[in-house]
Amino acid sequence: MQHVAGAIAANVERVLVGKSDVVRTAMVTLLAEGHLLVEDVPGVGKTSLAKALGKSIDCTVSRIQFTPDLLPSDITGVSIYNRQNSEFEFRPGPVFANIVVGDEINRASPKTQSALLECMAEHQVTVDGTTYPLGEPFMVVATQNPVEMEGTYALPEAQRDRFTARVSIGYPDPQAELAMVDEHSGHDPMADLRPVSTAAHVLELVKAVRGVHLAAEVKRYAVELVAASRRLPELRLGASPRATLHLVKAARAQAALLGRDFVVPDDVQAVAVPVLAHRLVLTAEAHASRRTAVELVRALLHRVPVPQGGAAPAPPAGPPGGWPTPGQPG
């Protein structure tokens, strides 16, 4: 248990070289029982991140290539009539897996994209009036190209709000790109990737994260941070109450990854940008002045008062659920 999270992250970094911050956000999202949206230009490793995370956990993994002609039933499944017993039988779609990799999600139509809403929010699928539960853990890792590129549809606000965090990988620095060339020249690192954890281990980690202490002052700080986004004149739509819940869960996971069993304001600040920025809808004037959601969230972090003291229980009882303290051997 002690090094499961670190082993998963190290395994993913064998494929995604030089992007430890992106991998950490993916781990935070996994342990926060959320879903990850990876947005960037083609060729920077979006799909590799999603597939490497799936292969690092010994559980069911499926991949959906979103295209303009993809139908909702291609994702959720369909009921097929069986002539032998004169009954309809449900054939599960690829969403029935622990890790679902949605590649180029914004190339499909909004109707098809919306098929994921119930799956992501309630971990279930309803087809022809019958509800089918999804397995645990369940995580959607979706990739998308910037909306300025051809052949893309903007994700509906309701669907973006289902994603716990959004990350952009960006181009690697020259040294990391050189290491990547060396790594990929002889063989494909993805082919050599082996699971370093199981679904049962991940569920244990998730349970430990739920028990991370969250003081009343830190709760209030998270609520005030989200509420402040709704008052910004640059926004048509601020962060939702669901964003508050995701922010708190991500902060708990961030604290656990750092070996603490309590959340401090720094944890909230560390996850605020990936958790909040993609949910904000800017006004036309803000777009015209080239403001970005990331800049607005960072401005809020400087504007909203940070609670002083009272964030940690005294004395701390140690890492939750067998988590290692930083630098502690397993």
Side-chain angles (χ1 to χ4, degrees), residues 103-152:
D103 203 11
E104 296 184 304
I105 186 175
N106 62 335
R107 288 189 61 207
S109 66
K111 179 180 179 180
T112 301
Q113 294 173 7
S114 65
L116 285 174
L117 291 180
E118 182 185 16
C119 309
M120 296 171 65
E122 303 174 42
H123 292 193
Q124 66 182 28
V125 171
T126 301
V127 178
D128 296 334
T130 304
T131 300
Y132 305 91
L134 298 173
E136 295 291 342
F138 175 71
M139 179 183 183
V140 174
V141 183
T143 73
Q144 72 167 356
N145 298 326
V147 293
E148 295 84 5
M149 306 194 73
E150 294 185 8
T152 61

Side-chain angles (χ1 to χ4, degrees), residues 194-237:
R194 295 293 180 267
V196 295
S197 180
T198 64
H201 283 156
V202 172
L203 288 177
E204 289 180 26
L205 294 177
V206 167
K207 184 178 180 180
V209 167
R210 292 174 186 166
V212 172
H213 177 74
L214 186 69
E217 293 86 351
V218 182
K219 291 180 187 177
R220 194 175 300 111
Y221 176 59
V223 171
E224 290 174 354
L225 196 60
V226 174
S229 72
R230 303 167 192 159
R231 300 189 293 268
L232 290 176
E234 296 92 344
L235 297 181
R236 289 193 296 111
L237 183 65

Side-chain angles (χ1 to χ4, degrees), residues 10-312:
N11 215 36
V12 175
E13 288 187 47
R14 292 174 54 192
V15 175
L16 198 68
V17 180
K19 296 294 179 181
S20 57
D21 55 338
V22 175
V23 175
R24 173 169 287 274
T25 301
M27 286 301 305
V28 166
T29 305
L30 174 65
L31 299 183
E33 304 173 83
H35 310 285
L36 181 66
L37 181 63
V38 188
E39 178 181 346
D40 218 318
V41 296
V44 295
K46 301 189 301 295
T47 306
S48 296
L49 169 65
K51 291 174 66 177
L53 182 62
K55 292 190 69 173
S56 297
I57 303 172
D58 190 13
C59 57
T60 56
V61 180
S62 66
R63 180 175 180 270
I64 307 171
Q65 179 64 54
F66 283 76
T67 56
D69 59 348
L70 192 72
L71 299 176
S73 59
D74 295 330
I75 298 174
T76 59
V78 64
S79 295
I80 299 177
Y81 184 73
N82 189 330
R83 292 185 178 181
Q84 295 181 350
N85 55 19
S86 300
E87 294 180 352
F88 282 93
E89 296 180 351
F90 178 66
R91 301 290 178 85
V95 77
F96 285 86
N98 296 117
I99 305 292
V100 179
V101 180
D103 203 11
E104 296 184 304
I105 186 175
N106 62 335
R107 288 189 61 207
S109 66
K111 179 180 179 180
T112 301
Q113 294 173 7
S114 65
L116 285 174
L117 291 180
E118 182 185 16
C119 309
M120 296 171 65
E122 303 174 42
H123 292 193
Q124 66 182 28
V125 171
T126 301
V127 178
D128 296 334
T130 304
T131 300
Y132 305 91
L134 298 173
E136 295 291 342
F138 175 71
M139 179 183 183
V140 174
V141 183
T143 73
Q144 72 167 356
N145 298 326
V147 293
E148 295 84 5
M149 306 194 73
E150 294 185 8
T152 61
Y153 300 84
L155 287 182
E157 288 83 355
Q159 186 168 351
R160 289 206 307 270
D161 199 42
R162 258 71 172 188
F163 285 99
T164 298
R166 180 190 65 180
V167 294
S168 296
I169 296 178
Y171 292 114
D173 58 59
Q175 290 185 346
E177 195 162 4
L178 183 60
M180 180 186 67
V181 171
D182 292 337
E183 185 74 19
H184 287 253
S185 59
H187 64 286
D188 182 9
M190 187 73 72
D192 297 336
L193 219 57
R194 295 293 180 267
V196 295
S197 180
T198 64
H201 283 156
V202 172
L203 288 177
E204 289 180 26
L205 294 177
V206 167
K207 184 178 180 180
V209 167
R210 292 174 186 166
V212 172
H213 177 74
L214 186 69
E217 293 86 351
V218 182
K219 291 180 187 177
R220 194 175 300 111
Y221 176 59
V223 171
E224 290 174 354
L225 196 60
V226 174
S229 72
R230 303 167 192 159
R231 300 189 293 268
L232 290 176
E234 296 92 344
L235 297 181
R236 289 193 296 111
L237 183 65
S240 67
R242 183 187 287 116
T244 307
L245 298 177
H246 287 178
L247 181 63
V248 168
K249 287 183 177 181
R252 280 193 164 110
Q254 171 74 8
L257 284 175
L258 294 176
R260 281 187 275 101
D261 64 349
F262 57 91
V263 179
V264 298
D266 285 351
D267 298 320
V268 178
Q269 294 177 344
V271 299
V273 170
V275 171
L276 299 180
H278 65 286
R279 308 169 193 267
L280 308 182
V281 180
L282 277 66
T283 62
E285 294 77 11
H287 279 295
S289 59
R290 298 187 179 276
R291 299 297 302 274
T292 66
V294 172
E295 292 174 354
L296 295 177
V297 173
R298 288 174 176 165
L300 284 178
L301 293 176
H302 287 92
R303 188 180 310 166
V304 178
V306 179
Q308 301 295 326

